[in-house]
Amino acid sequence: MSAFPVFDPASSLARPITQLTSITFWLGLGVFLLVAGLLSWFMWRYRHRGAGGEPAQIFGNTRDEVGWILGAVALVGVLLFLTVRVAGQSSPDTAGPNPDVYVTAHQWYWAFRTPGGAETAGELHIPAGRRVLLDLTSADVIHDFSVPQLARKIDVIPGQHNRLWIEAAKAGTYAGECNEFCGPQHAWMRFRVIADDAASLAGAGPDSPAPTLVAGSAAAHGAQVFREVQCSACHAVQGQTSDFPHDGAVGPDLTHFASRQLMAGGVLTNTPANVQRWLKHTQQVKPGARMPTLPLSDQEINDLSAYLEALK
Ligand code: CUA
């Protein structure tokens, strides 16, 4: 992943924005150097040298004033023209086609769902070299979807469906984050976009089989705990929790959880030790998260993490 994503565009949708940023920066720097240079020059050239009385007092100069007003208007006009052009290039028409992925923002994680019903969280898989149309809405407050290398950013608003094209020219992993302050864990509302050469959209397909759990194993016991302590009241695992209808509005879908790189909105890398830490100290790891710290025994935590890490 890029250290300076804003300056490292990886798509034809993001490149014009980076170019506009550079043009604006260099133009601004030019204006600054001109003004600061002239100011310094005048301060030195017309400094008080101890002789003579008060200098000539000048009020206004029509030629100079018209000059700098027109100059400033011309500069702003050029920037306006470039900005409108870039806005068109980075936001192609979204009216026609059906969305490829439905994105729902939650405090504080991102859910991604395909029209076929596959759902995942925190990680969006897209095919490289193809534009993907997103439909974005929020389950609670206003968020903002931003993957600087792949597209413009866009507000994600409850009750409204915004649309956005994203594209990765090459295979790779691209950092995404929420860009609108949305509560105490706003900074931990991150996600990754993973572009591969033959990725299925979002995550795995909707009917990819759920793993078979060996009877009597820690994972099988974990599955039982998952139902009994009602993890499944908030989290769906497709193929495993169909008896607990999931309204998709509470916690992240955990189908194929084990195949994800990060968890809990990017606050932890996905390892068995971190899953256990999360289950044990949820509210310390991510204060304010909707998930309470559950009264689980060490054995239950161990088995739950075995179960979750079996969901490949
Ligand atoms: Cu969601 Cu900030």
Side-chain angles (χ1 to χ4, degrees):
M1 277 182 292
S2 177
F4 298 101
V6 175
F7 299 108
D8 191 11
S11 106
S12 60
L13 299 168
R15 204 161 294 116
I17 299 173
T18 305
Q19 285 163 354
L20 179 64
T21 306
S22 298
I23 292 169
T24 309
F25 173 79
W26 290 112
L27 270 178
L29 186 68
V31 169
F32 172 77
L33 290 178
L34 180 72
V35 171
L38 282 174
L39 188 62
S40 306
W41 162 250
F42 282 116
M43 280 163 62
W44 180 81
R45 176 69 182 77
Y46 300 107
R47 69 193 184 281
H48 182 53
R49 271 167 283 198
E54 192 160 302
Q57 301 297 301
I58 298 161
F59 295 97
N61 179 311
T62 308
R63 194 197 60 193
D64 288 0
E65 283 169 20
V66 168
W68 68 60
I69 288 168
L70 287 182
V73 168
L75 261 182
V76 172
V78 167
L79 286 176
L80 176 68
F81 170 76
L82 293 175
T83 303
V84 169
R85 205 177 59 167
V86 167
Q89 289 167 338
S90 60
S91 284
D93 189 17
T94 56
N98 291 322
D100 299 301
V101 179
Y102 291 88
V103 181
T104 307
H106 297 255
Q107 285 172 314
W108 292 277
Y109 69 94
W110 294 92
F112 303 102
R113 187 169 52 80
T114 63
E119 184 162 345
T120 185
E123 220 166 84
L124 173 63
H125 290 260
I126 62 170
R130 173 160 104 64
R131 287 191 179 174
V132 172
L133 184 59
L134 307 181
D135 170 292
L136 305 105
T137 192
S138 167
D140 36 53
V141 301
I142 297 176
H143 303 271
D144 188 285
F145 181 95
S146 173
V147 191
Q149 286 182 278
L150 305 188
R152 56 165 290 195
K153 71 192 192 78
I154 194 165
D155 273 3
V156 182
I157 299 165
Q160 185 174 319
H161 289 263
N162 286 341
R163 285 182 160 202
L164 176 73
W165 287 107
I166 63 168
E167 179 195 47
K170 286 183 303 183
T173 300
Y174 304 94
E177 61 188 16
C178 180
N179 241 314
E180 178 77 37
F181 182 71
C182 56
Q185 295 297 333
H186 157 70
W188 286 114
M189 189 165 162
R190 300 188 186 180
F191 60 101
R192 286 181 176 181
V193 178
I194 297 163
D196 17 82
D197 289 324
S200 62
L201 283 163
D207 39 15
S208 66
T212 314
L213 304 171
V214 180
S217 66
H221 182 241
Q224 200 186 328
V225 176
F226 193 85
R227 287 149 192 263
E228 280 168 6
V229 303
Q230 307 218 331
C231 304
S232 52
C234 297
H235 297 282
V237 177
Q238 290 175 35
Q240 302 262 308
T241 55
S242 50
D243 44 339
F244 288 96
H246 176 58
D247 65 3
V250 190
D253 186 299
L254 298 177
T255 315
H256 308 297
F257 173 80
S259 64
R260 294 176 202 161
Q261 300 170 357
L262 303 173
M263 53 177 286
V267 76
L268 296 171
T269 51
N270 185 3
T271 64
N274 277 339
V275 171
Q276 291 172 23
R277 189 172 151 215
W278 172 254
L279 290 170
K280 204 163 189 163
H281 307 290
T282 315
Q283 286 298 322
Q284 276 150 279
V285 177
K286 200 170 175 183
R290 290 286 160 86
M291 178 159 155
T293 303
L294 295 160
L296 297 163
S297 70
D298 286 353
Q299 184 65 46
E300 286 171 326
I301 285 174
N302 181 64
D303 294 348
L304 273 173
S305 87
Y307 171 58
L308 292 169
E309 296 300 349
L311 298 175
K312 295 225 160 53

